[in-house]
């Protein structure tokens, strides 16, 4: 029975880690990692007691390393420390209530139930943790991992340090308690202080995250205001050109009519070459891509598209924009979506500038089940599609390649989004599909 309880405790660590990290594990991965966990946990616990759980911390860090494409991250360290502290914290909270409940239920039984409190206490932490996280996620917006990574020095490092201090303080007390079978009042007070410190660490993390996210939103709104001002300026320019064209339109028709009646085909040809043909070119000009933005009613996205089209226009890139149906909302958190959109557009503009016939096509489609955003650009280089999204890979050379890697990290957190990449006949395309709530990929 002791071995069963120890086995359950080791598995509990894993499920708490999986619950907080929200990493997706295949059945094969779960089997392999559990075998590793159980082997290391059993051996380390046998030799060093409760300190054996600390060995699992390094397993968690290693797991995060592989889940993040062989990259060590502060988030991976936080997940490991969280699993250790939360398992001990919830086990400590559940121990007395579970013991009292079992003694009450079996108060008239003559069976040996000494092992039951330990068994149920070992099973309680992952269940309590999952319920707690579900409640928190229901009432508190989910933390954006991208913001946590970028602001890890402010948000995660202090929390990790506090969690390590808690581990180094709690595990000696737990070790003494396991040997003596009881905790002194001093040890109980110290444990209570450590658990309060743990709660303070999580509250600090939430406070700092909210502060940084608010700052990001304010910065984004400021940028959007500038971009929308440029957009309005372009619309005014287009309106002035149309007004000028309308003024000259009647005179063009009269001149053509006169030439046709007199069968003066040289005059008709001259009017066409000098007025009608340039007007057709004017109507195809990049600036009229702005008109298509009228169907996009999400100001944050409209401002980004307007700004990127302006940049492409200044770089002499032919831009086509298609938004045929009204779009009133984006099926993804706006901060994440704007990051993805900006990265894809920046990559498209950079690639298109290196081609002779520079062009970009942006399509936004709205359907009952999905939203589809396709960005297509001319491409003059060979691209290894299989390696796209790897950290550090870029056809431009070393020291780059973080953009699409960051896109992949964002998409891993969203079960309703997918990105498809294609290269055909000198055209490179990225298609982002957003499945509306309830239609998972």
């Amino acid at each position: 029975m002791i071995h069963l309880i120890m086995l359950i405790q080791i598995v509990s660590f894993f499920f708490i880690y999986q619950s907080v990290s929200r990493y997706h594990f295949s059945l094969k991965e779960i089997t392999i990692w559990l075998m590793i966990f159980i082997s290391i946990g059993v051996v380390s616990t046998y030799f060093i007691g409760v300190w054996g759980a600390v060995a699992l911390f390094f397993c968690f860090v290693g797991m995060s390393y592989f889940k993040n494409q062989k990259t060590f991250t502060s988030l991976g360290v936080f997940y490991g420390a969280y699993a250790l502290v939360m398992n001990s914290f919830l086990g400590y909270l559940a121990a007395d209530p579970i013991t009292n409940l079992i003694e009450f239920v079996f108060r008239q039984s003559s069976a040996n139930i000494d092992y039951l409190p330990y068994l149920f206490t070992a099973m309680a932490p992952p269940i309590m943790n999952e319920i707690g996280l579900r409640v928190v996620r229901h009432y508190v917006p989910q933390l954006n991992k991208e913001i946590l990574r970028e602001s890890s020095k402010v948000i995660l490092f202090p929390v990790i340090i506090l969690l390590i201090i808690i581990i180094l303080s709690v595990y000696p007390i737990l070790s003494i308690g396991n040997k003596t079978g009881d905790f002194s009042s001093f040890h109980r007070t110290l444990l209570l202080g450590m658990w309060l410190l743990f709660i303070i660490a999580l509250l600090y993390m939430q406070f700092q995250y909210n502060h940084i996210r608010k700052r990001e939103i304010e910065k984004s709104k400021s940028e959007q205001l500038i971009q929308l001002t440029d957009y309005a300026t372009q619309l005014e320019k287009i309106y002035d050109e149309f007004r000028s064209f309308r003024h000259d339109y009647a005179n063009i028709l009269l001149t053509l009519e006169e030439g046709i009646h007199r069968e003066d085909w040289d005059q008709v040809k001259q009017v066409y070459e000098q007025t009608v043909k340039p007007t057709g070119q004017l109507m195809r000009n990049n600036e009229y891509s702005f008109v298509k933005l009228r169907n996009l009613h999400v100001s944050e996205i409209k401002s980004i598209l307007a700004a990127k089209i302006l940049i492409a226009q200044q770089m002499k890139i032919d831009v086509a924009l298609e938004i045929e149906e009204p779009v009133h909302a984006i099926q993804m958190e706006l901060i994440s979506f704007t990051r993805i959109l900006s990265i894809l557009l920046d990559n498209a503009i950079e690639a298109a500038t290196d081609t002779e016939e520079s062009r970009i096509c942006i399509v936004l489609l709205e359907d009952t089940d999905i939203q589809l955003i396709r960005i297509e650009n001319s491409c003059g280089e060979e691209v290894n599609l299989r390696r796209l999204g790897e950290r550090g890979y870029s056809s431009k050379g070393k020291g780059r390649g973080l953009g699409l890697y960051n896109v992949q990290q964002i998409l891993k957190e969203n079960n309703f989004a997918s990105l498809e990449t294609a290269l055909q006949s000198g055209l490179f395309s990225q298609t982002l599909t957003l499945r509306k709530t309830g239609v998972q990929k």
Side-chain angles (χ1 to χ4, degrees), residues 311-336:
I311 292 172
Q313 179 183 344
Q314 292 167 359
M315 301 177 74
K316 308 301 181 183
I317 298 175
D318 183 25
V319 181
L321 177 66
E322 296 296 332
I323 308 176
E324 299 301 332
E325 300 294 331
V327 177
H328 297 278
I330 299 296
Q331 302 300 315
M332 180 186 276
E333 184 190 30
L334 277 178
I335 291 180
S336 297

Side-chain angles (χ1 to χ4, degrees), residues 79-222:
Y79 293 147
Y82 174 92
L84 258 66
V85 177
M86 184 59 79
N87 189 74
S88 301
F89 175 51
L90 295 179
Y92 179 78
L93 289 180
D96 287 342
I98 287 176
T99 300
N100 294 334
L101 178 62
I102 290 175
E103 289 177 352
F104 174 77
V105 172
F106 294 94
R107 62 186 183 278
Q108 295 180 345
S109 174
S110 58
N112 182 10
I113 60 169
D114 292 341
Y115 67 90
L116 283 181
Y118 298 101
L119 180 64
F120 285 105
T121 299
M123 297 170 60
I127 299 173
M128 295 171 65
N129 176 72
E130 182 64 26
I131 294 173
L133 286 179
R134 286 181 178 272
V135 171
V136 170
R137 286 166 181 160
H138 180 75
Y139 292 102
V140 180
Q142 184 178 342
L143 303 187
N144 186 297
K145 290 185 179 180
E146 193 66 21
I147 295 178
L148 290 175
R149 291 190 193 100
E150 292 179 357
S151 306
S152 60
K153 290 183 179 180
V154 178
I155 299 177
L156 292 177
F157 284 2
V159 174
I160 290 172
I161 291 173
L162 286 175
L163 293 183
I164 292 175
I165 291 173
I166 292 171
I167 292 171
L168 295 176
S169 302
V170 166
Y171 275 84
I173 300 174
L174 295 178
S175 180
I176 294 172
N178 285 347
K179 290 180 179 179
T180 62
D182 194 11
F183 296 100
S184 67
S185 59
F186 172 74
H187 287 154
R188 289 184 178 275
T189 302
L190 189 57
L191 281 175
L192 180 61
M194 290 298 103
W195 301 144
L196 289 176
L197 185 60
F198 174 54
I199 295 173
I200 290 172
L202 296 183
L203 291 176
Y204 166 84
M205 180 176 173
Q206 183 68 46
F207 172 79
Q208 286 291 358
Y209 173 84
N210 290 337
H211 175 71
I212 291 173
R213 188 173 186 275
K214 182 179 179 181
R215 190 174 62 194
E216 287 273 329
I217 293 174
E218 290 175 353
K219 179 183 176 182
S220 177
K221 287 182 178 180
S222 177

